[in-house]
Structure formats: C-alpha cells, structure tokens
Amino acid sequence: FERYKPQIVFHAAAHKHVPLMESSPMEAIKNNVIGTFNVATLAQFHDVQKFVMISTDKAVNPTNAMGASKRCCEMIVQYLSQQHEGKTEFVTTRFGNVLGSNGSVIPLFKKQIEQGKPVTVTHEDIIRYFMTIPEAVSLVMEAAAIANGGEIFVLDMGQPVRIVTLAENLIRMYGKVPYKDVPIVFTGLRPGEKIKEELLMMEEGLKKTSNKLIFIGNQIDIDEEHFASRLKKLRDAAQLNDEAVAIQALHEMVPTFITPDEFN
C-alpha cells in the first residue's frame, strides 16, 4: 500500500473449497475473515478510493464454515462502510461459480472423460449458478464503477444448471453416450454442501441498476458495538485454534448459519 498507493482494491483472496474448510474451519476464519479485516482497514488507512470485496452465493444462508466466513466478510465491509471514517468506499459483489476458475467442475469432468474414468457428481439433484471468467470480471468492474459505498451488488447469473445435465452434455461433446460409454457415478453430498445455492438473502430485496445483470441488495444495519466485540471473540478463538469457541462465535455473528441437513 505504501509503495503503490492503489486507488482501488479488488479483494478476491479467499479459501473457497467448501469440504476442505469444513475440516479446517480455523483456516477459513483466519484467512477469509481476519484477512479481509486486515486488508480493508489497511485500505482505509491508506485512503484507497474504493474497496471491492468479492463474495459468493455460498454466503447466503450459509451451511458451511466457508460460506459463513464469507458472510462475515460481507458484514465487515458493511461495518466499515457504516462508520464513514476516511475516504474509502466499501462495496461487495456477490455471485456464484466461475467456469474455468481454480477448482471448477468442467476441467475435472474433462479430465475424467479423457482418462476413461466415470464422471463423478455428488447428487443427482444438485444445481449451481455459473458464469464465465470474462463475464464475472466485467460485471465486477462495472459494479465497482457505479458504486457509492455500502452496496452489496448481486450479479444475475441466469438460470441455475443441473450438474448432472452439465456432465451429460460434456460427455456428448466428446462423441460419447452418457451412462453407456461413460458412467456417471453419484458420490453423495460432501460436508457442508447444499443441493441448491441462493444468491440473495430473503430480507435484502433488490434494486435495479443501469445494467440489467447487476442488482443492489438493501443494506442491513450492523450494531457496531456488538459486531466489534463478536469479531474480536472470533479472532481470538481462531488465533488460539479453539475450534469450539470459534464456531460458536461464527454462529453468533451469522444468525443465518445453519447445518446442511436443516437446509437440504
């Protein structure tokens, strides 16, 4: 920050692998929550004009530590925006899966087909929202341009896609017949996984913008005193690697954090 004096920060750094973060929730808290707080407050200290936090649909009614940690990140950005200290405008953009990004499902399916292995899908009813890397980047940059500070921008990702349909179509693209030439094996939902992702918190509503693919969710007021003390409790527990206290603190910070069984 001292050397380059950036005008705008796109904060995309996060641990985002759901099952991995279920087995290592302290890492999700340290990297996602504490990391976001550190970068955001540094941006504020150095008078960055705009700070754009990249969130995920998994932050909506989260059923896993990763999603709950990203919801906390959204709350940190709202908290800093509410304080109106310094010159920085804080905004969040929320969207689903990006095709071709690290850990994306299509490269995995292609590898399985090319190696003559069965294609593995977790559940026959599982659906996800997808967009391409250029779509995601251009919409995030446009949202940043129209931001005034404090907004959660929700990107329209079109219709959700059934993962099994995606697998079937990819097998056909290789000139093969699904279930005949290439088996599709259902491996079961992984820890923390939802059958269906959501893009919007129920209470947030939607406002249109000049771009029909970008919407604004209403802000939720954050009780600054309670939030700061809960964040400190979460940080202290994570630094001590006290998983029970940290998970309890995460639930206190994110009341919509429920178990996958309750949701599914």
Side-chain angles (χ1 to χ4, degrees), residues 27-77:
E27 295 309 307
I29 293 166
K30 288 176 193 171
N31 190 60
N32 298 357
V33 181
I34 312 308
T36 294
F37 183 78
N38 290 343
V39 180
T41 49
L42 268 173
Q44 189 177 49
F45 181 78
H46 288 281
D47 287 332
V48 169
Q49 289 173 19
K50 281 187 182 177
F51 180 91
V52 183
M53 204 277 289
I54 310 293
S55 190
T56 167
D57 51 358
K58 292 172 180 64
V60 181
N61 298 325
T63 58
N64 49 66
M66 194 287 278
S69 73
K70 290 296 280 183
R71 180 62 182 153
C72 272
C73 296
E74 293 184 353
M75 294 166 89
I76 286 167
V77 173

Side-chain angles (χ1 to χ4, degrees), residues 8 18 45 79 81-82 86 103 147 159 161 183 201 216 222 228 230 241 251 254:
I8 184 163
V18 169
F45 181 78
Y79 168 72
S81 178
Q82 250 177 243
Q159 294 301 310
V161 176
M201 302 290 284
I216 300 174
I222 286 176
R230 283 175 178 165
N241 286 317
H251 277 281
V254 184

Side-chain angles (χ1 to χ4, degrees), residues 124-139:
E124 59 191 30
D125 295 323
I126 202 161
I127 62 171
R128 291 290 181 266
Y129 292 89
F130 287 102
M131 62 168 56
T132 64
I133 292 172
E135 281 178 313
V137 170
S138 61
L139 287 175

Side-chain angles (χ1 to χ4, degrees), residues 71-254:
R71 180 62 182 153
C72 272
C73 296
E74 293 184 353
M75 294 166 89
I76 286 167
V77 173
Q78 286 179 289
Y79 168 72
L80 292 170
S81 178
Q82 250 177 243
Q83 289 187 312
H84 301 294
E85 289 180 13
K87 300 173 181 173
T88 311
E89 293 175 356
F90 289 95
V91 296
T92 292
T93 56
R94 185 195 287 153
F95 51 96
N97 300 279
V98 178
L99 286 170
S101 63
N102 283 345
S104 179
V105 71
I106 285 189
L108 171 67
F109 286 170
K110 286 172 111 173
K111 191 174 171 187
Q112 289 173 331
I113 296 165
E114 286 164 8
Q115 291 178 351
K117 294 178 178 176
V119 170
T120 55
V121 177
T122 55
H123 192 284
E124 59 191 30
D125 295 323
I126 202 161
I127 62 171
R128 291 290 181 266
Y129 292 89
F130 287 102
M131 62 168 56
T132 64
I133 292 172
E135 281 178 313
V137 170
S138 61
L139 287 175
V140 165
M141 291 181 79
E142 186 170 343
I146 61 177
N148 295 312
E151 300 98 337
I152 291 183
F153 289 101
V154 180
L155 309 186
D156 183 352
M157 305 205 53
Q159 294 301 310
V161 176
R162 285 185 78 215
I163 300 297
V164 69
T165 306
L166 193 67
E168 289 165 356
N169 289 341
L170 205 58
I171 291 166
R172 290 188 191 102
M173 280 172 66
Y174 277 84
K176 299 178 187 291
V177 180
Y179 308 105
K180 185 181 171 190
D181 301 327
V182 180
I184 295 177
V185 177
F186 297 104
T187 55
L189 289 174
R190 299 175 300 176
E193 211 166 33
K194 282 183 180 181
I195 287 180
K196 177 186 177 183
E197 299 293 358
E198 306 164 87
L199 285 179
L200 264 182
M201 302 290 284
M202 289 299 291
E203 70 270 26
E204 276 178 359
L206 272 184
K207 292 191 191 108
K208 291 182 177 177
T209 67
S210 53
N211 185 319
K212 68 180 192 299
L213 296 177
I214 301 175
F215 296 86
I216 300 174
N218 291 327
Q219 279 297 40
I220 303 161
D221 280 336
I222 286 176
D223 182 323
E224 293 181 13
E225 198 178 316
H226 276 117
F227 184 76
S229 64
R230 283 175 178 165
L231 187 61
K232 183 179 184 302
K233 180 182 175 183
L234 184 66
R235 184 194 66 190
D236 292 349
Q239 287 174 341
L240 292 169
N241 286 317
D242 189 333
E243 192 169 307
V245 173
I247 294 296
Q248 178 58 35
L250 200 54
H251 277 281
E252 285 171 15
M253 284 190 75
V254 184

